Amino acid sequence: MKLLIHGCGYIGEVHLKTVLNNHLCEVALCEMNGQRRKEVAEKYGIDETYTSLDEALKHSFDGVVICTPNFAHKDDLEKCVKAGLNVMLEKPMSSTLESAREMRELCRKYDKFAFVAYCLRFAQPYQRIKKMVTEGKLGKVFGIHASVAGKKAITDAKTDYRTKRALGGGVISDFSHEIDYALWFGGKPVKNVKCFGARAIHKEWDVLDTAELLISCEDDLCIAIHMDFLQPYFGRSIEIYGTEGAIRWRDNESIKFYDCKKDKWIEMDSAIDWDDVYREEMEHYLHCLQTGEKPMIDAENGFETFEVIDKCVQDAEKGVF
Ligand SMILES: NC(=O)c1ccc[n+]([C@@H]2O[C@H](COP(=O)([O-])OP(=O)(O)OC[C@H]3O[C@@H](n4cnc5c(N)ncnc54)[C@H](O)[C@@H]3O)[C@@H](O)[C@H]2O)c1
Protein backbone atom coordinates (compact mmCIF):
# COMPACT_ATOMS: atom_id res chain seq x y z
CA MET A 1 0.00 0.00 0.00
CA LYS A 2 1.06 3.57 -0.53
CA LEU A 3 -0.07 6.66 1.38
CA LEU A 4 0.30 10.34 0.67
CA ILE A 5 0.92 12.56 3.72
CA HIS A 6 -0.56 15.93 2.78
CA GLY A 7 0.75 18.82 4.94
CA CYS A 8 4.06 18.08 6.63
CA GLY A 9 3.93 20.38 9.64
CA TYR A 10 3.88 19.17 13.24
CA ILE A 11 1.37 16.31 12.97
CA GLY A 12 2.23 15.42 9.37
CA GLU A 13 5.75 14.64 10.54
CA VAL A 14 4.37 12.53 13.41
CA HIS A 15 2.34 10.42 10.95
CA LEU A 16 5.29 10.14 8.57
CA LYS A 17 7.56 8.88 11.38
CA THR A 18 4.88 6.41 12.45
CA VAL A 19 4.62 4.91 8.97
CA LEU A 20 8.40 4.71 8.51
CA ASN A 21 9.42 3.51 11.99
CA ASN A 22 6.85 0.71 11.91
CA HIS A 23 7.37 -0.18 8.22
CA LEU A 24 3.62 0.10 7.68
CA CYS A 25 3.56 0.96 3.97
CA GLU A 26 5.14 3.10 1.25
CA VAL A 27 4.78 6.84 1.64
CA ALA A 28 5.06 10.08 -0.36
CA LEU A 29 4.86 13.69 0.83
CA CYS A 30 2.93 16.73 -0.26
CA GLU A 31 3.98 20.07 1.27
CA MET A 32 3.47 23.53 -0.24
CA ASN A 33 6.25 25.17 1.78
CA GLY A 34 9.45 24.46 -0.18
CA GLN A 35 11.82 24.81 2.74
CA ARG A 36 9.75 22.56 4.98
CA ARG A 37 9.27 20.00 2.17
CA LYS A 38 13.04 19.80 1.59
CA GLU A 39 13.79 19.61 5.32
CA VAL A 40 11.35 16.73 5.96
CA ALA A 41 12.21 14.83 2.74
CA GLU A 42 15.93 14.95 3.56
CA LYS A 43 15.47 14.08 7.22
CA TYR A 44 13.47 10.92 6.41
CA GLY A 45 14.96 10.07 3.00
CA ILE A 46 11.71 10.49 1.04
CA ASP A 47 12.22 10.65 -2.73
CA GLU A 48 8.64 11.19 -3.84
CA THR A 49 7.45 14.69 -2.93
CA TYR A 50 4.83 17.07 -4.31
CA THR A 51 4.14 20.77 -3.96
CA SER A 52 0.34 20.57 -4.31
CA LEU A 53 -2.44 18.06 -3.81
CA ASP A 54 -3.59 18.53 -7.43
CA GLU A 55 -0.16 17.53 -8.67
CA ALA A 56 0.11 14.59 -6.24
CA LEU A 57 -3.31 13.19 -7.14
CA LYS A 58 -2.20 12.69 -10.75
CA HIS A 59 -0.31 9.73 -9.27
CA SER A 60 -1.63 6.59 -7.65
CA PHE A 61 -2.18 6.22 -3.88
CA ASP A 62 -4.25 3.92 -1.68
CA GLY A 63 -5.04 6.72 0.76
CA VAL A 64 -4.26 10.28 1.83
CA VAL A 65 -3.58 11.56 5.36
CA ILE A 66 -4.79 15.19 5.42
CA CYS A 67 -2.68 17.15 7.92
CA THR A 68 -3.26 20.71 6.72
CA PRO A 69 -4.70 23.53 8.88
CA ASN A 70 -8.43 23.19 9.58
CA PHE A 71 -9.63 25.75 7.01
CA ALA A 72 -8.06 23.68 4.18
CA HIS A 73 -9.68 20.34 5.16
CA LYS A 74 -12.82 20.72 3.04
CA ASP A 75 -11.09 21.46 -0.27
CA ASP A 76 -8.51 18.75 0.41
CA LEU A 77 -11.15 16.16 1.25
CA GLU A 78 -13.19 17.08 -1.82
CA LYS A 79 -10.21 16.51 -4.12
CA CYS A 80 -9.43 13.16 -2.51
CA VAL A 81 -12.93 11.68 -2.54
CA LYS A 82 -13.44 12.84 -6.14
CA ALA A 83 -10.20 11.00 -6.93
CA GLY A 84 -11.79 7.88 -5.41
CA LEU A 85 -9.80 7.88 -2.17
CA ASN A 86 -10.77 7.16 1.44
CA VAL A 87 -8.93 9.58 3.71
CA MET A 88 -7.59 9.94 7.21
CA LEU A 89 -8.40 13.52 8.19
CA GLU A 90 -6.84 15.39 11.08
CA LYS A 91 -9.26 16.74 13.67
CA PRO A 92 -11.37 18.81 13.85
CA MET A 93 -13.40 18.12 10.75
CA SER A 94 -13.20 21.67 9.41
CA SER A 95 -13.33 25.37 10.27
CA THR A 96 -17.04 26.15 9.70
CA LEU A 97 -20.26 24.21 10.23
CA GLU A 98 -21.23 24.75 6.61
CA SER A 99 -18.00 23.24 5.27
CA ALA A 100 -18.17 20.35 7.76
CA ARG A 101 -21.70 19.59 6.51
CA GLU A 102 -20.49 19.71 2.91
CA MET A 103 -17.72 17.26 3.82
CA ARG A 104 -20.22 14.83 5.30
CA GLU A 105 -22.29 15.12 2.12
CA LEU A 106 -19.23 14.55 -0.09
CA CYS A 107 -18.42 11.33 1.79
CA ARG A 108 -22.01 10.16 1.39
CA LYS A 109 -22.20 11.12 -2.31
CA TYR A 110 -18.89 9.52 -3.33
CA ASP A 111 -19.30 6.63 -0.88
CA LYS A 112 -15.88 7.28 0.65
CA PHE A 113 -14.89 7.49 4.29
CA ALA A 114 -13.06 10.23 6.18
CA PHE A 115 -11.50 8.77 9.32
CA VAL A 116 -11.37 11.77 11.66
CA ALA A 117 -8.17 11.33 13.66
CA TYR A 118 -9.18 11.88 17.28
CA CYS A 119 -6.09 9.99 18.38
CA LEU A 120 -6.82 9.85 22.14
CA ARG A 121 -9.31 7.07 21.45
CA PHE A 122 -6.30 4.89 20.58
CA ALA A 123 -4.52 5.56 23.90
CA GLN A 124 -4.70 2.73 26.48
CA PRO A 125 -6.03 4.78 29.44
CA TYR A 126 -8.91 6.16 27.35
CA GLN A 127 -9.74 2.69 26.06
CA ARG A 128 -9.62 1.34 29.62
CA ILE A 129 -11.99 4.05 30.87
CA LYS A 130 -14.37 3.47 27.94
CA LYS A 131 -14.42 -0.28 28.70
CA MET A 132 -15.17 0.31 32.39
CA VAL A 133 -18.04 2.66 31.57
CA THR A 134 -19.43 0.31 28.89
CA GLU A 135 -19.21 -2.72 31.21
CA GLY A 136 -21.26 -0.81 33.78
CA LYS A 137 -18.51 -0.71 36.46
CA LEU A 138 -19.64 2.83 37.37
CA GLY A 139 -23.36 2.05 37.25
CA LYS A 140 -25.38 4.82 35.63
CA VAL A 141 -22.97 7.57 34.59
CA PHE A 142 -24.47 11.01 35.19
CA GLY A 143 -21.42 13.31 35.13
CA ILE A 144 -18.22 13.62 33.11
CA HIS A 145 -15.74 16.41 33.85
CA ALA A 146 -12.71 16.92 31.63
CA SER A 147 -10.03 19.55 31.35
CA VAL A 148 -7.26 20.35 28.92
CA ALA A 149 -4.90 23.26 29.39
CA GLY A 150 -1.58 24.53 28.19
CA LYS A 151 0.02 27.19 26.08
CA LYS A 152 2.35 24.66 24.45
CA ALA A 153 -0.41 23.90 21.91
CA ILE A 154 -0.02 27.34 20.34
CA THR A 155 3.68 26.99 19.68
CA ASP A 156 3.72 23.34 18.49
CA ALA A 157 2.39 24.15 15.02
CA LYS A 158 4.53 25.34 12.10
CA THR A 159 1.77 27.73 10.99
CA ASP A 160 -0.40 30.01 13.21
CA TYR A 161 -3.81 28.54 12.36
CA ARG A 162 -4.68 27.96 16.03
CA THR A 163 -4.92 31.69 16.79
CA LYS A 164 -6.94 32.82 13.76
CA ARG A 165 -10.63 32.42 13.03
CA ALA A 166 -10.22 32.36 9.23
CA LEU A 167 -7.81 29.43 9.54
CA GLY A 168 -10.10 27.45 11.86
CA GLY A 169 -8.44 28.36 15.16
CA GLY A 170 -9.68 28.87 18.71
CA VAL A 171 -9.37 26.85 21.87
CA ILE A 172 -12.68 24.97 21.45
CA SER A 173 -12.04 23.54 18.00
CA ASP A 174 -8.39 22.89 18.74
CA PHE A 175 -9.08 20.99 21.98
CA SER A 176 -12.12 19.17 20.60
CA HIS A 177 -10.48 15.86 21.58
CA GLU A 178 -12.18 16.44 24.94
CA ILE A 179 -15.61 16.74 23.31
CA ASP A 180 -14.97 13.65 21.20
CA TYR A 181 -13.88 11.35 24.03
CA ALA A 182 -16.41 12.65 26.58
CA LEU A 183 -19.27 11.91 24.13
CA TRP A 184 -17.66 8.55 23.34
CA PHE A 185 -17.42 7.63 27.04
CA GLY A 186 -20.99 8.73 27.68
CA GLY A 187 -22.41 7.15 24.53
CA LYS A 188 -25.59 9.29 24.62
CA PRO A 189 -26.96 11.74 22.03
CA VAL A 190 -26.43 15.44 22.76
CA LYS A 191 -29.48 17.42 23.89
CA ASN A 192 -28.21 20.91 24.65
CA VAL A 193 -25.06 22.97 24.92
CA LYS A 194 -24.00 26.04 26.96
CA CYS A 195 -20.63 27.68 26.89
CA PHE A 196 -18.73 30.62 28.36
CA GLY A 197 -15.45 31.82 26.93
CA ALA A 198 -12.95 34.65 26.93
CA ARG A 199 -9.85 36.13 25.41
CA ALA A 200 -8.35 36.19 28.87
CA ILE A 201 -4.81 37.04 27.78
CA HIS A 202 -4.71 37.25 23.98
CA LYS A 203 -6.83 40.36 23.41
CA GLU A 204 -5.37 40.73 19.90
CA TRP A 205 -6.80 37.37 18.75
CA ASP A 206 -10.16 36.99 16.99
CA VAL A 207 -10.74 33.60 18.70
CA LEU A 208 -11.14 32.49 22.34
CA ASP A 209 -8.17 31.44 24.47
CA THR A 210 -10.26 29.89 27.28
CA ALA A 211 -13.71 28.27 27.55
CA GLU A 212 -16.04 26.36 29.87
CA LEU A 213 -18.39 23.96 28.06
CA LEU A 214 -21.56 22.33 29.41
CA ILE A 215 -23.14 19.58 27.33
CA SER A 216 -26.35 17.85 28.36
CA CYS A 217 -27.09 14.44 26.86
CA GLU A 218 -29.99 12.01 26.80
CA ASP A 219 -30.46 9.82 29.87
CA ASP A 220 -29.52 12.58 32.36
CA LEU A 221 -25.83 12.78 31.50
CA CYS A 222 -24.07 16.15 32.00
CA ILE A 223 -20.61 16.84 30.60
CA ALA A 224 -18.47 19.79 31.76
CA ILE A 225 -15.18 20.64 30.03
CA HIS A 226 -12.55 23.29 30.79
CA MET A 227 -10.16 24.34 27.99
CA ASP A 228 -7.41 26.94 27.92
CA PHE A 229 -4.40 27.95 25.86
CA LEU A 230 -2.89 29.76 28.85
CA GLN A 231 -1.44 27.53 31.57
CA PRO A 232 2.35 27.21 31.55
CA TYR A 233 2.25 23.41 31.83
CA PHE A 234 0.26 21.18 29.46
CA GLY A 235 -2.13 18.74 31.09
CA ARG A 236 -5.40 16.86 30.85
CA SER A 237 -7.73 15.48 33.52
CA ILE A 238 -10.92 13.44 33.67
CA GLU A 239 -13.48 12.74 36.40
CA ILE A 240 -16.44 10.45 35.80
CA TYR A 241 -19.30 10.08 38.27
CA GLY A 242 -21.63 7.08 38.37
CA THR A 243 -24.10 5.51 40.78
CA GLU A 244 -21.74 2.56 41.47
CA GLY A 245 -18.34 4.20 41.21
CA ALA A 246 -16.17 7.06 40.05
CA ILE A 247 -13.01 7.58 38.01
CA ARG A 248 -10.36 10.26 38.60
CA TRP A 249 -7.39 10.75 36.33
CA ARG A 250 -4.73 13.39 35.76
CA ASP A 251 -2.67 12.41 32.77
CA ASN A 252 0.67 12.18 34.61
CA GLU A 253 -0.79 10.03 37.42
CA SER A 254 -2.43 6.63 37.72
CA ILE A 255 -6.15 6.23 37.04
CA LYS A 256 -8.10 5.96 40.33
CA PHE A 257 -11.37 4.00 40.36
CA TYR A 258 -13.66 4.23 43.37
CA ASP A 259 -15.55 0.97 43.70
CA CYS A 260 -18.71 1.56 45.78
CA LYS A 261 -19.20 -2.15 46.54
CA LYS A 262 -15.66 -2.47 47.98
CA ASP A 263 -15.73 1.07 49.38
CA LYS A 264 -12.17 1.74 48.23
CA TRP A 265 -10.08 3.46 45.59
CA ILE A 266 -8.25 1.14 43.19
CA GLU A 267 -5.25 2.47 41.27
CA MET A 268 -4.58 1.45 37.67
CA ASP A 269 -1.62 2.06 35.40
CA SER A 270 -2.24 4.88 32.96
CA ALA A 271 1.02 5.37 31.08
CA ILE A 272 0.59 6.53 27.49
CA ASP A 273 3.09 5.41 24.87
CA TRP A 274 2.51 8.02 22.13
CA ASP A 275 4.35 5.94 19.52
CA ASP A 276 1.82 3.15 20.17
CA VAL A 277 -1.11 5.58 19.98
CA TYR A 278 -0.12 6.91 16.56
CA ARG A 279 0.83 3.43 15.31
CA GLU A 280 -2.53 1.96 16.33
CA GLU A 281 -4.34 4.90 14.77
CA MET A 282 -2.47 4.47 11.46
CA GLU A 283 -2.92 0.68 11.53
CA HIS A 284 -6.65 1.25 11.99
CA TYR A 285 -6.72 3.48 8.89
CA LEU A 286 -4.74 0.95 6.83
CA HIS A 287 -7.00 -1.86 8.05
CA CYS A 288 -10.09 0.09 6.96
CA LEU A 289 -8.50 0.81 3.56
CA GLN A 290 -7.72 -2.87 3.07
CA THR A 291 -11.03 -4.30 4.28
CA GLY A 292 -13.46 -1.50 3.39
CA GLU A 293 -14.63 -1.49 7.03
CA LYS A 294 -16.03 1.73 8.47
CA PRO A 295 -13.48 3.58 10.62
CA MET A 296 -14.01 4.08 14.35
CA ILE A 297 -14.72 7.80 13.78
CA ASP A 298 -16.13 8.66 10.35
CA ALA A 299 -17.48 11.85 8.77
CA GLU A 300 -20.88 11.31 10.45
CA ASN A 301 -19.24 11.21 13.92
CA GLY A 302 -16.81 14.01 13.02
CA PHE A 303 -19.74 16.18 11.97
CA GLU A 304 -21.66 15.49 15.23
CA THR A 305 -18.61 16.62 17.20
CA PHE A 306 -18.22 19.65 14.96
CA GLU A 307 -21.86 20.62 15.59
CA VAL A 308 -21.08 20.70 19.32
CA ILE A 309 -17.91 22.74 18.67
CA ASP A 310 -19.90 25.22 16.60
CA LYS A 311 -22.74 25.58 19.15
CA CYS A 312 -20.20 26.12 21.95
CA VAL A 313 -18.30 28.76 19.96
CA GLN A 314 -21.54 30.57 19.05
CA ASP A 315 -22.71 30.59 22.67
CA ALA A 316 -19.34 31.51 24.19
CA GLU A 317 -18.63 34.36 21.81
CA LYS A 318 -21.82 36.23 22.72
CA GLY A 319 -20.60 39.31 24.51
CA VAL A 320 -16.92 38.57 23.87
CA PHE A 321 -16.70 39.90 20.31
N1 LIG B 1 -4.38 14.58 16.50
C1 LIG B 1 -3.60 15.42 17.11
O1 LIG B 1 -3.19 15.16 18.22
C2 LIG B 1 -3.20 16.70 16.42
C3 LIG B 1 -2.08 17.40 16.87
C4 LIG B 1 -1.71 18.55 16.18
C5 LIG B 1 -2.47 18.99 15.11
N2 LIG B 1 -3.56 18.30 14.71
C6 LIG B 1 -4.37 18.75 13.56
O2 LIG B 1 -3.58 18.56 12.38
C7 LIG B 1 -3.77 19.63 11.47
C8 LIG B 1 -2.43 20.30 11.19
O3 LIG B 1 -1.93 20.77 12.41
P1 LIG B 1 -0.36 21.04 12.62
O4 LIG B 1 -0.23 21.47 14.04
O5 LIG B 1 0.44 19.90 12.13
O6 LIG B 1 -0.16 22.32 11.66
P2 LIG B 1 1.20 22.94 11.12
O7 LIG B 1 0.96 24.38 10.99
O8 LIG B 1 2.35 22.48 11.99
O9 LIG B 1 1.36 22.25 9.70
C9 LIG B 1 0.46 22.43 8.64
C10 LIG B 1 1.22 22.15 7.36
O10 LIG B 1 0.31 22.14 6.28
C11 LIG B 1 0.91 22.86 5.18
N3 LIG B 1 -0.19 23.30 4.31
C12 LIG B 1 -0.69 22.58 3.29
N4 LIG B 1 -1.70 23.21 2.71
C13 LIG B 1 -1.84 24.38 3.32
C14 LIG B 1 -2.71 25.47 3.16
N5 LIG B 1 -3.67 25.49 2.24
N6 LIG B 1 -2.54 26.51 3.98
C15 LIG B 1 -1.60 26.52 4.93
N7 LIG B 1 -0.75 25.50 5.13
C16 LIG B 1 -0.88 24.43 4.35
C17 LIG B 1 1.76 23.93 5.84
O11 LIG B 1 2.77 24.39 4.99
C18 LIG B 1 2.29 23.19 7.06
O12 LIG B 1 3.52 22.55 6.81
C19 LIG B 1 -4.83 20.53 12.11
O13 LIG B 1 -6.08 20.17 11.62
C20 LIG B 1 -4.73 20.22 13.59
O14 LIG B 1 -5.91 20.44 14.31
C21 LIG B 1 -3.93 17.16 15.34
Side-chain angles (χ1 to χ4, degrees), residues 9-11 31-32 67-68 70 73 90-91 158-159 161:
Y10 170 78
I11 200 74
E31 169 57 51
M32 63 187 279
C67 306
T68 50
N70 307 340
H73 289 183
E90 264 307 337
K91 48 56 64 179
K158 306 286 175 198
T159 62
Y161 71 94

Side-chain angles (χ1 to χ4, degrees), residues 297-312:
I297 312 155
D298 65 7
E300 306 291 326
N301 313 120
F303 178 74
E304 282 164 17
T305 300
F306 201 87
E307 269 191 310
V308 174
I309 296 171
D310 184 67
K311 281 185 184 147
C312 288

Side-chain angles (χ1 to χ4, degrees), residues 108-153:
R108 287 178 180 171
K109 181 174 169 192
Y110 289 91
D111 194 21
K112 294 292 159 212
F113 70 70
F115 165 37
V116 187
Y118 280 108
C119 60
L120 294 182
R121 291 212 206 176
F122 294 85
Q124 283 299 321
Y126 294 82
Q127 291 187 349
R128 173 173 274 182
I129 292 172
K130 170 67 180 168
K131 189 163 180 278
M132 288 173 73
V133 172
T134 307
E135 286 174 349
K137 297 253 187 315
L138 281 77
K140 174 172 167 154
V141 170
F142 50 85
I144 299 177
H145 287 189
S147 82
V148 54
K151 61 181 179 187
K152 167 181 168 288

Side-chain angles (χ1 to χ4, degrees), residues 16-286:
L16 176 66
K17 266 196 294 194
T18 301
V19 170
L20 295 173
N21 289 350
N22 297 289
H23 312 287
L24 297 181
C25 63
E26 288 181 59
V27 68
L29 300 184
C30 178
E31 169 57 51
M32 63 187 279
N33 178 319
Q35 195 185 335
R36 177 72 183 157
R37 188 175 59 253
K38 188 165 174 284
E39 178 193 321
V40 176
E42 280 177 7
K43 187 170 170 188
Y44 297 97
I46 306 292
D47 298 326
E48 191 177 341
T49 66
Y50 300 97
T51 54
S52 74
L53 189 56
D54 291 325
E55 186 201 338
L57 292 180
K58 290 178 189 156
H59 302 263
S60 173
F61 298 100
D62 296 289
V64 178
V65 185
I66 298 176
C67 306
T68 50
N70 307 340
F71 79 95
H73 289 183
K74 191 238 143 194
D75 285 354
D76 293 342
L77 174 106
E78 184 163 10
K79 287 174 185 168
C80 292
V81 296
K82 284 184 173 170
L85 294 163
N86 292 301
V87 305
M88 176 165 146
L89 172 72
E90 264 307 337
K91 48 56 64 179
M93 187 114 163
S94 192
S95 54
T96 65
L97 187 63
E98 195 187 341
S99 58
R101 186 176 283 114
E102 279 179 57
M103 291 166 82
R104 185 183 62 173
E105 292 312 311
L106 282 162
C107 288
R108 287 178 180 171
K109 181 174 169 192
Y110 289 91
D111 194 21
K112 294 292 159 212
F113 70 70
F115 165 37
V116 187
Y118 280 108
C119 60
L120 294 182
R121 291 212 206 176
F122 294 85
Q124 283 299 321
Y126 294 82
Q127 291 187 349
R128 173 173 274 182
I129 292 172
K130 170 67 180 168
K131 189 163 180 278
M132 288 173 73
V133 172
T134 307
E135 286 174 349
K137 297 253 187 315
L138 281 77
K140 174 172 167 154
V141 170
F142 50 85
I144 299 177
H145 287 189
S147 82
V148 54
K151 61 181 179 187
K152 167 181 168 288
I154 311 168
T155 48
D156 271 350
K158 306 286 175 198
T159 62
D160 60 355
Y161 71 94
R162 284 191 165 109
T163 66
K164 293 192 167 58
R165 177 182 304 268
L167 307 186
V171 74
I172 299 174
S173 76
D174 200 57
F175 283 149
S176 57
H177 283 290
E178 269 46 42
I179 302 173
D180 172 73
Y181 73 67
L183 292 176
W184 180 54
F185 287 162
K188 308 280 191 257
V190 173
K191 272 172 40 184
N192 202 0
V193 159
K194 296 256 179 245
C195 189
F196 297 92
R199 287 176 298 161
I201 299 295
H202 299 280
K203 304 292 183 197
E204 74 286 7
W205 290 4
D206 63 354
V207 289
L208 303 171
D209 60 16
T210 179
E212 305 294 333
L213 288 64
L214 282 176
I215 305 166
S216 75
C217 297
E218 300 286 343
D219 210 14
D220 316 305
L221 170 65
C222 286
I223 296 171
I225 304 174
H226 166 84
M227 300 174 172
D228 79 66
F229 271 156
L230 306 173
Q231 280 195 68
Y233 77 92
F234 184 87
R236 299 193 128 96
S237 71
I238 297 173
E239 295 201 10
I240 306 185
Y241 308 97
T243 51
E244 305 294 322
I247 285 175
R248 266 196 216 156
W249 182 42
R250 294 203 68 84
D251 58 2
N252 53 356
E253 297 169 7
S254 53
I255 299 173
K256 295 179 183 69
F257 166 55
Y258 178 72
D259 189 336
C260 277
K261 289 190 193 93
K262 295 180 183 153
D263 190 21
K264 66 174 186 185
W265 286 94
I266 299 160
E267 293 205 20
M268 288 171 285
D269 175 41
S270 69
I272 296 183
D273 181 328
W274 286 102
D275 290 341
D276 283 351
V277 172
Y278 290 116
R279 180 183 46 74
E280 284 185 25
E281 182 182 53
M282 189 58 71
E283 283 176 345
H284 179 66
Y285 176 45
L286 290 169

